[in-house]
Amino acid sequence: MNPCASIPLRHQNEREEEIGVKMASDDVANLADSLAKTQVDESELSYKGQGLKLDNAQSVEKMVKAIEEFDGLRALRLEGNTIGVEAAQTIAKALQKKSDLQCCHWSDMFTGRLRAEIPPALNSLGDALITAGARLKVLDLSDNAFGPDGVKGIEKLLKSTACHTLQELRLNNCGMGIGGGKILAAALTVCHKESSALGAPLQLKVFIAGRNRLENDGATALAQAFQLIGSLEEVHMPQNGINHPGVTALATAMQHNPQLRVLNLNDNTFTKRGAIAMAEALKHLRNVQVINFGDCLVRSEGASAIAETLREGLPILKELNLSFGEITEEAALEVARSVQHKDQFEKLDLNGNSLGEEGCENLREVMEKMNMADKLGSLSDDEGEPEEDDDEEEEDDDDDDEDVEEEEEEEEEDEEEEGEGEEEKSELNQFSTPPSAPRTPDVSTFLSFPSPDKLLRLGAKRSFLIQQQVDVSDVSKTVEAFLKISSVYKEDDAEVKSAVLESIDAVLCKAFLTPSFQGLSFMSSLLVMLGLLKSEDKLKPVKVVPGHLQCLEHAVKQSYFPREHITVLNAFMARPNKSLEPCSSARDRLKSTLQKLTPES
């Protein structure tokens, strides 16, 4: 849904391709030409995907003029550009008189910026919206990797009257962490209470915050806000390291949102207790159309509980994803039979579970007998039948879950808001280890003797498991992990390539978004190990392989990689070095990418 979708369109030109290059500082004079190519709808001004590098007042002169002269501006698209503090402040001045503005599409607009630049830029833009008396419907700040401090940068805006009318809040892949999640929850709570006092309560409908490391505490804080708000129709919180305590809190909150249509908690860790709590919550809802609990380790007992809920309710369900959940044949068949009388049902995903060859065939037969064979997704990644002792191991895992939870409750008050939560890591690892772990290599084995096969055999949660294993407080271990993972990179093997890059992103994103992480020390150690810098400790560099450089090229293009480190790396890569000669092709590609990303002096 899109509150701005009803805005009438009036295209000034038919050009739909996006400009993907970043402007160098000497290209500012061409901004007018770029502006002429910009799609401007009747109520929308768009600079989407133009790759503009906007550092100062001069660089946004034409943009500011366009904003000032645009009567009735309702939507401003700035995504896909990079905006500095001075440029943001200048844009903000132009927005101070735009009271009609409703939709701020501002995702991915700080690429390459120092993390310290982002909060003041957001503060300026937020203050302008408040001054203007705007009434926002959509606020999208996804893919900005601003961390907890970035949430502080929008805290005032979220509490203000400008957000009393907010319908969609999109904060995907922002690295908020536990601290940021708590700040966000508190701000939404204030917004709801103050708007309610004025007789028009906040009616937030869409909340998106995947890949934010919210964990249990962040998710629980947000759950309390969701319970109060009560108007949510879509909740997307995949890949946040949430375990059953956080899942249970969210389940309770969802019961108080009767219009909920879409619930996406993919790649968190339910275990059976979280799945049962969620199944109970779903019994109170009748408008749910899409459930995505894929890669959530719901296990057989949790799947059976969900099946029971499906038999009794959720009459308009369209999609159910319970993939990669360690579900066995009997429970999978229960789930299949539970969707039989759903007239609007479209897709059932049970891939990556533990059905075995015969179980997969039985599942297909059941779906076919119900005339729903076309609704069943692929089963190509089935893990095979579980070993005989898997049930006992599963029970042991859940007992351990209880022990860990009790330890957490005792120690929770002593944790700092943005601490790494070591006991939570223990719980995450406990939940994330499949009962069939003896059949597959663990993360330590892979990192000690890396190979593509071992990486793939870690399973769909490999990046999460590796992220939890690597101690980013130790720079040398972080560098070592990066080199070990990237050493198995294969350009011509799509599956291995994807697994490596996902794992690299998980480790480096966690590292660079950790406030205490020593980024410069990381760079120095990496340069030493690549043979680009001599070590005072006489450390022996690794034998550089193309994968090291190809993964580094990927990493520097991600929003989590600090801009200042790109400059340092570019300087060293520009020097001739024999250690990189065997990888000349990968070296040249990396050098070219660094040169494009490095700001000109």
Side-chain angles (χ1 to χ4, degrees), residues 36 70 76 170 255 350 353 385 389 423 501 582:
F70 202 124
L76 179 62
R170 300 171 180 268
Q255 296 181 39
L350 287 169
N353 284 298
E385 293 185 59
D389 59 348
E423 65 288 327
L501 295 182

Side-chain angles (χ1 to χ4, degrees), residues 329-471:
E329 178 186 349
E330 183 178 352
L333 294 178
E334 286 184 59
V335 172
R337 295 187 180 105
S338 70
V339 302
Q340 181 174 6
H341 300 296
K342 309 294 182 191
D343 295 337
Q344 300 182 37
F345 197 76
E346 298 175 359
K347 183 178 180 181
L348 174 63
D349 190 347
L350 287 169
N351 197 18
N353 284 298
S354 303
L355 278 62
E357 186 175 343
E358 184 177 346
C360 288
E361 188 57 37
N362 290 338
L363 178 60
R364 293 189 185 98
E365 288 181 6
V366 167
M367 294 296 287
E368 188 171 349
K369 288 179 181 179
M370 298 188 302
N371 294 319
M372 299 179 74
D374 60 328
K375 314 297 185 187
L376 180 63
S378 170
L379 298 174
S380 60
D381 294 320
D382 187 76
E383 296 286 345
E385 293 185 59
E387 294 181 351
E388 292 181 0
D389 59 348
D390 276 359
D391 290 338
E392 294 179 6
E393 292 186 12
E394 182 174 319
E395 291 176 4
D396 291 342
D397 283 348
D398 285 313
D399 290 339
D400 289 341
D401 290 346
E402 294 177 4
D403 294 339
V404 173
E405 184 181 5
E406 290 175 3
E407 291 175 9
E408 284 182 337
E409 290 174 352
E410 293 173 359
E411 300 176 9
E412 187 177 24
E413 293 181 358
D414 297 329
E415 292 181 11
E416 292 186 1
E417 189 174 64
E418 296 173 24
E420 289 302 308
E422 292 299 326
E423 65 288 327
E424 287 186 7
K425 287 185 188 177
S426 173
E427 182 179 12
L428 290 173
N429 287 334
Q430 187 66 256
F431 291 162
S432 302
T433 304
S436 54
R439 293 180 293 160
T440 59
D442 58 21
V443 176
S444 297
T445 301
F446 164 70
L447 291 175
S448 298
F449 306 99
S451 72
D453 181 61
K454 287 178 183 175
L455 179 62
L456 294 179
R457 286 167 60 201
L458 286 174
K461 299 179 78 70
R462 64 181 70 87
S463 62
F464 175 77
L465 294 169
I466 292 173
Q467 181 192 64
Q468 295 303 309
Q469 177 77 17
V470 178
D471 180 8

Side-chain angles (χ1 to χ4, degrees), residues 282-582:
L282 289 171
K283 290 180 179 180
H284 299 268
L285 303 170
R286 294 189 61 80
N287 293 302
V288 176
Q289 298 177 19
V290 178
I291 295 174
N292 186 344
F293 296 160
D295 207 9
C296 284
L297 203 64
V298 299
R299 292 184 170 150
S300 297
E301 192 169 342
S304 295
I306 293 172
E308 180 185 346
T309 296
L310 290 173
R311 284 192 296 271
E312 298 173 359
L314 302 179
I316 61 173
L317 187 68
K318 293 182 178 180
E319 296 182 18
L320 175 63
N321 184 346
L322 294 179
S323 60
F324 298 95
E326 291 191 358
I327 301 169
T328 54
E329 178 186 349
E330 183 178 352
L333 294 178
E334 286 184 59
V335 172
R337 295 187 180 105
S338 70
V339 302
Q340 181 174 6
H341 300 296
K342 309 294 182 191
D343 295 337
Q344 300 182 37
F345 197 76
E346 298 175 359
K347 183 178 180 181
L348 174 63
D349 190 347
L350 287 169
N351 197 18
N353 284 298
S354 303
L355 278 62
E357 186 175 343
E358 184 177 346
C360 288
E361 188 57 37
N362 290 338
L363 178 60
R364 293 189 185 98
E365 288 181 6
V366 167
M367 294 296 287
E368 188 171 349
K369 288 179 181 179
M370 298 188 302
N371 294 319
M372 299 179 74
D374 60 328
K375 314 297 185 187
L376 180 63
S378 170
L379 298 174
S380 60
D381 294 320
D382 187 76
E383 296 286 345
E385 293 185 59
E387 294 181 351
E388 292 181 0
D389 59 348
D390 276 359
D391 290 338
E392 294 179 6
E393 292 186 12
E394 182 174 319
E395 291 176 4
D396 291 342
D397 283 348
D398 285 313
D399 290 339
D400 289 341
D401 290 346
E402 294 177 4
D403 294 339
V404 173
E405 184 181 5
E406 290 175 3
E407 291 175 9
E408 284 182 337
E409 290 174 352
E410 293 173 359
E411 300 176 9
E412 187 177 24
E413 293 181 358
D414 297 329
E415 292 181 11
E416 292 186 1
E417 189 174 64
E418 296 173 24
E420 289 302 308
E422 292 299 326
E423 65 288 327
E424 287 186 7
K425 287 185 188 177
S426 173
E427 182 179 12
L428 290 173
N429 287 334
Q430 187 66 256
F431 291 162
S432 302
T433 304
S436 54
R439 293 180 293 160
T440 59
D442 58 21
V443 176
S444 297
T445 301
F446 164 70
L447 291 175
S448 298
F449 306 99
S451 72
D453 181 61
K454 287 178 183 175
L455 179 62
L456 294 179
R457 286 167 60 201
L458 286 174
K461 299 179 78 70
R462 64 181 70 87
S463 62
F464 175 77
L465 294 169
I466 292 173
Q467 181 192 64
Q468 295 303 309
Q469 177 77 17
V470 178
D471 180 8
V472 297
S473 65
D474 188 322
V475 168
S476 61
K477 289 182 179 178
T478 307
V479 171
E480 182 182 5
F482 171 81
L483 294 172
K484 289 288 184 68
I485 299 168
S486 59
S487 69
V488 304
Y489 180 90
K490 288 186 176 182
E491 182 69 33
D492 57 352
D493 188 323
E495 186 177 10
V496 173
K497 178 179 178 180
S498 176
V500 169
L501 295 182
E502 286 177 4
S503 301
I504 290 293
D505 284 340
V507 172
L508 293 188
C509 185
K510 177 183 177 181
F512 285 122
L513 293 179
T514 298
S516 59
F517 184 66
Q518 301 296 316
L520 288 177
S521 296
F522 171 83
M523 287 304 300
S524 297
S525 180
L526 180 62
L527 291 170
V528 168
M529 298 308 292
L530 292 175
L532 300 176
L533 180 66
K534 291 184 178 180
S535 170
E536 295 179 359
D537 299 326
K538 296 184 179 180
L539 294 176
K540 185 178 180 181
V542 299
K543 180 181 178 181
V544 181
V545 296
H548 292 145
L549 305 183
Q550 289 164 323
C551 289
L552 191 54
E553 182 194 5
H554 165 81
V556 298
K557 293 187 287 187
Q558 307 309 305
S559 58
Y560 60 70
F561 203 93
R563 180 187 186 188
E564 63 269 28
H565 297 348
I566 293 175
T567 304
V568 171
L569 188 58
N570 183 52
F572 278 90
M573 287 297 299
R575 303 176 182 177
N577 192 290
K578 292 183 179 180
S579 67
L580 304 184
E581 287 180 359

